[in-house]
PDB file of all heavy atoms in Angstrom:
ATOM      1  N   LEU Y 247      43.021   4.571 -48.006  1.00  0.00           N
ATOM      2  CA  LEU Y 247      42.563   4.797 -49.348  1.00  0.00           C
ATOM      3  C   LEU Y 247      42.413   6.307 -49.677  1.00  0.00           C
ATOM      4  O   LEU Y 247      42.850   6.825 -50.833  1.00  0.00           O
ATOM      5  CB  LEU Y 247      41.115   4.152 -49.513  1.00  0.00           C
ATOM      6  CG  LEU Y 247      41.121   2.659 -49.559  1.00  0.00           C
ATOM      7  CD1 LEU Y 247      39.690   2.117 -49.420  1.00  0.00           C
ATOM      8  CD2 LEU Y 247      41.720   2.111 -50.859  1.00  0.00           C
ATOM      9  N   ARG Y 248      41.975   7.078 -48.703  1.00  0.00           N
ATOM     10  CA  ARG Y 248      41.755   8.534 -48.886  1.00  0.00           C
ATOM     11  C   ARG Y 248      43.169   9.218 -49.245  1.00  0.00           C
ATOM     12  O   ARG Y 248      43.177  10.039 -50.079  1.00  0.00           O
ATOM     13  CB  ARG Y 248      41.060   9.099 -47.655  1.00  0.00           C
ATOM     14  CG  ARG Y 248      40.614  10.530 -47.955  1.00  0.00           C
ATOM     15  CD  ARG Y 248      39.715  11.147 -46.820  1.00  0.00           C
ATOM     16  NE  ARG Y 248      39.575  10.282 -45.630  1.00  0.00           N
ATOM     17  CZ  ARG Y 248      38.547   9.655 -45.269  1.00  0.00           C
ATOM     18  NH1 ARG Y 248      37.464   9.797 -46.069  1.00  0.00           N
ATOM     19  NH2 ARG Y 248      38.487   9.058 -44.162  1.00  0.00           N
ATOM     20  N   GLN Y 249      44.093   8.786 -48.429  1.00  0.00           N
ATOM     21  CA  GLN Y 249      45.458   9.374 -48.607  1.00  0.00           C
ATOM     22  C   GLN Y 249      45.951   9.013 -49.976  1.00  0.00           C
ATOM     23  O   GLN Y 249      46.664   9.805 -50.692  1.00  0.00           O
ATOM     24  CB  GLN Y 249      46.411   8.822 -47.553  1.00  0.00           C
ATOM     25  CG  GLN Y 249      47.792   9.466 -47.586  1.00  0.00           C
ATOM     26  CD  GLN Y 249      47.771  10.957 -47.350  1.00  0.00           C
ATOM     27  OE1 GLN Y 249      47.455  11.385 -46.239  1.00  0.00           O
ATOM     28  NE2 GLN Y 249      48.045  11.756 -48.350  1.00  0.00           N
ATOM     29  N   LYS Y 250      45.854   7.749 -50.415  1.00  0.00           N
ATOM     30  CA  LYS Y 250      46.258   7.305 -51.672  1.00  0.00           C
ATOM     31  C   LYS Y 250      45.634   8.104 -52.819  1.00  0.00           C
ATOM     32  O   LYS Y 250      46.320   8.535 -53.792  1.00  0.00           O
ATOM     33  CB  LYS Y 250      46.060   5.792 -51.873  1.00  0.00           C
ATOM     34  CG  LYS Y 250      46.572   5.199 -53.092  1.00  0.00           C
ATOM     35  CD  LYS Y 250      46.307   3.683 -53.255  1.00  0.00           C
ATOM     36  CE  LYS Y 250      46.833   3.095 -54.476  1.00  0.00           C
ATOM     37  NZ  LYS Y 250      46.584   1.616 -54.484  1.00  0.00           N
ATOM     38  N   PHE Y 251      44.355   8.399 -52.704  1.00  0.00           N
ATOM     39  CA  PHE Y 251      43.572   9.219 -53.619  1.00  0.00           C
ATOM     40  C   PHE Y 251      44.173  10.565 -53.741  1.00  0.00           C
ATOM     41  O   PHE Y 251      44.359  11.072 -54.793  1.00  0.00           O
ATOM     42  CB  PHE Y 251      42.096   9.135 -53.305  1.00  0.00           C
ATOM     43  CG  PHE Y 251      41.307  10.125 -54.181  1.00  0.00           C
ATOM     44  CD1 PHE Y 251      41.099   9.847 -55.496  1.00  0.00           C
ATOM     45  CD2 PHE Y 251      40.792  11.264 -53.525  1.00  0.00           C
ATOM     46  CE1 PHE Y 251      40.326  10.713 -56.290  1.00  0.00           C
ATOM     47  CE2 PHE Y 251      40.046  12.150 -54.308  1.00  0.00           C
ATOM     48  CZ  PHE Y 251      39.870  11.828 -55.669  1.00  0.00           C
ATOM     49  N   VAL Y 252      44.322  11.203 -52.542  1.00  0.00           N
ATOM     50  CA  VAL Y 252      44.860  12.628 -52.507  1.00  0.00           C
ATOM     51  C   VAL Y 252      46.187  12.666 -53.174  1.00  0.00           C
ATOM     52  O   VAL Y 252      46.509  13.529 -54.053  1.00  0.00           O
ATOM     53  CB  VAL Y 252      44.979  13.100 -51.040  1.00  0.00           C
ATOM     54  CG1 VAL Y 252      45.619  14.478 -51.084  1.00  0.00           C
ATOM     55  CG2 VAL Y 252      43.533  13.214 -50.510  1.00  0.00           C
ATOM     56  N   ASP Y 253      47.109  11.742 -52.852  1.00  0.00           N
ATOM     57  CA  ASP Y 253      48.425  11.791 -53.476  1.00  0.00           C
ATOM     58  C   ASP Y 253      48.352  11.671 -54.988  1.00  0.00           C
ATOM     59  O   ASP Y 253      49.168  12.351 -55.741  1.00  0.00           O
ATOM     60  CB  ASP Y 253      49.229  10.582 -52.934  1.00  0.00           C
ATOM     61  CG  ASP Y 253      49.590  10.738 -51.428  1.00  0.00           C
ATOM     62  OD1 ASP Y 253      49.422  11.862 -50.955  1.00  0.00           O
ATOM     63  OD2 ASP Y 253      50.002   9.761 -50.833  1.00  0.00           O
ATOM     64  N   ALA Y 254      47.495  10.776 -55.486  1.00  0.00           N
ATOM     65  CA  ALA Y 254      47.383  10.696 -56.951  1.00  0.00           C
ATOM     66  C   ALA Y 254      46.738  11.910 -57.590  1.00  0.00           C
ATOM     67  O   ALA Y 254      47.074  12.348 -58.658  1.00  0.00           O
ATOM     68  CB  ALA Y 254      46.607   9.378 -57.273  1.00  0.00           C
ATOM     69  N   ALA Y 255      45.614  12.398 -56.973  1.00  0.00           N
ATOM     70  CA  ALA Y 255      44.891  13.440 -57.561  1.00  0.00           C
ATOM     71  C   ALA Y 255      45.700  14.802 -57.610  1.00  0.00           C
ATOM     72  O   ALA Y 255      45.563  15.560 -58.657  1.00  0.00           O
ATOM     73  CB  ALA Y 255      43.602  13.788 -56.699  1.00  0.00           C
ATOM     74  N   VAL Y 256      46.619  15.029 -56.649  1.00  0.00           N
ATOM     75  CA  VAL Y 256      47.371  16.225 -56.735  1.00  0.00           C
ATOM     76  C   VAL Y 256      48.243  16.286 -57.998  1.00  0.00           C
ATOM     77  O   VAL Y 256      48.403  17.322 -58.668  1.00  0.00           O
ATOM     78  CB  VAL Y 256      48.221  16.335 -55.407  1.00  0.00           C
ATOM     79  CG1 VAL Y 256      49.231  17.507 -55.627  1.00  0.00           C
ATOM     80  CG2 VAL Y 256      47.356  16.653 -54.249  1.00  0.00           C
ATOM     81  N   GLN Y 257      48.890  15.115 -58.275  1.00  0.00           N
ATOM     82  CA  GLN Y 257      49.733  15.064 -59.479  1.00  0.00           C
ATOM     83  C   GLN Y 257      48.945  15.240 -60.730  1.00  0.00           C
ATOM     84  O   GLN Y 257      49.374  15.874 -61.654  1.00  0.00           O
ATOM     85  CB  GLN Y 257      50.420  13.698 -59.505  1.00  0.00           C
ATOM     86  CG  GLN Y 257      51.397  13.493 -58.317  1.00  0.00           C
ATOM     87  CD  GLN Y 257      52.118  12.165 -58.372  1.00  0.00           C
ATOM     88  OE1 GLN Y 257      52.770  11.836 -59.394  1.00  0.00           O
ATOM     89  NE2 GLN Y 257      51.934  11.345 -57.365  1.00  0.00           N
ATOM     90  N   GLN Y 258      47.768  14.672 -60.788  1.00  0.00           N
ATOM     91  CA  GLN Y 258      46.850  14.753 -61.918  1.00  0.00           C
ATOM     92  C   GLN Y 258      46.387  16.236 -62.157  1.00  0.00           C
ATOM     93  O   GLN Y 258      46.268  16.727 -63.259  1.00  0.00           O
ATOM     94  CB  GLN Y 258      45.691  13.782 -61.860  1.00  0.00           C
ATOM     95  CG  GLN Y 258      46.132  12.328 -61.864  1.00  0.00           C
ATOM     96  CD  GLN Y 258      45.055  11.447 -61.326  1.00  0.00           C
ATOM     97  OE1 GLN Y 258      43.919  11.843 -60.833  1.00  0.00           O
ATOM     98  NE2 GLN Y 258      45.320  10.090 -61.294  1.00  0.00           N
ATOM     99  N   ALA Y 259      46.138  16.842 -61.036  1.00  0.00           N
ATOM    100  CA  ALA Y 259      45.672  18.251 -61.067  1.00  0.00           C
ATOM    101  C   ALA Y 259      46.765  19.110 -61.597  1.00  0.00           C
ATOM    102  O   ALA Y 259      46.420  20.120 -62.391  1.00  0.00           O
ATOM    103  CB  ALA Y 259      45.268  18.736 -59.673  1.00  0.00           C
ATOM    104  N   GLU Y 260      48.044  18.893 -61.421  1.00  0.00           N
ATOM    105  CA  GLU Y 260      49.122  19.638 -61.900  1.00  0.00           C
ATOM    106  C   GLU Y 260      49.125  19.547 -63.422  1.00  0.00           C
ATOM    107  O   GLU Y 260      49.403  20.525 -64.161  1.00  0.00           O
ATOM    108  CB  GLU Y 260      50.397  19.140 -61.367  1.00  0.00           C
ATOM    109  CG  GLU Y 260      50.602  19.517 -59.878  1.00  0.00           C
ATOM    110  CD  GLU Y 260      51.867  19.033 -59.261  1.00  0.00           C
ATOM    111  OE1 GLU Y 260      52.577  18.377 -60.044  1.00  0.00           O
ATOM    112  OE2 GLU Y 260      52.186  19.262 -58.078  1.00  0.00           O
ATOM    113  N   VAL Y 261      48.878  18.327 -63.953  1.00  0.00           N
ATOM    114  CA  VAL Y 261      48.783  18.071 -65.386  1.00  0.00           C
ATOM    115  C   VAL Y 261      47.603  18.955 -65.999  1.00  0.00           C
ATOM    116  O   VAL Y 261      47.764  19.566 -67.116  1.00  0.00           O
ATOM    117  CB  VAL Y 261      48.678  16.627 -65.714  1.00  0.00           C
ATOM    118  CG1 VAL Y 261      48.542  16.491 -67.277  1.00  0.00           C
ATOM    119  CG2 VAL Y 261      49.839  15.876 -65.307  1.00  0.00           C
ATOM    120  N   LEU Y 262      46.474  18.857 -65.365  1.00  0.00           N
ATOM    121  CA  LEU Y 262      45.285  19.623 -65.856  1.00  0.00           C
ATOM    122  C   LEU Y 262      45.493  21.129 -65.735  1.00  0.00           C
ATOM    123  O   LEU Y 262      44.922  21.874 -66.574  1.00  0.00           O
ATOM    124  CB  LEU Y 262      44.084  19.187 -65.079  1.00  0.00           C
ATOM    125  CG  LEU Y 262      43.374  17.876 -65.360  1.00  0.00           C
ATOM    126  CD1 LEU Y 262      42.209  17.614 -64.433  1.00  0.00           C
ATOM    127  CD2 LEU Y 262      42.908  17.921 -66.794  1.00  0.00           C
ATOM    128  N   GLY Y 263      46.194  21.582 -64.718  1.00  0.00           N
ATOM    129  CA  GLY Y 263      46.323  22.983 -64.518  1.00  0.00           C
ATOM    130  C   GLY Y 263      45.213  23.599 -63.620  1.00  0.00           C
ATOM    131  O   GLY Y 263      44.867  24.680 -63.725  1.00  0.00           O
TER     132      GLY Y 263
END
Side-chain angles (χ1 to χ4, degrees):
L247 288 168
R248 191 170 10 250
Q249 185 64 67
K250 185 178 180 181
F251 170 72
V252 171
D253 291 345
V256 169
Q257 298 181 54
Q258 295 162 1
E260 291 177 357
V261 175
L262 281 177

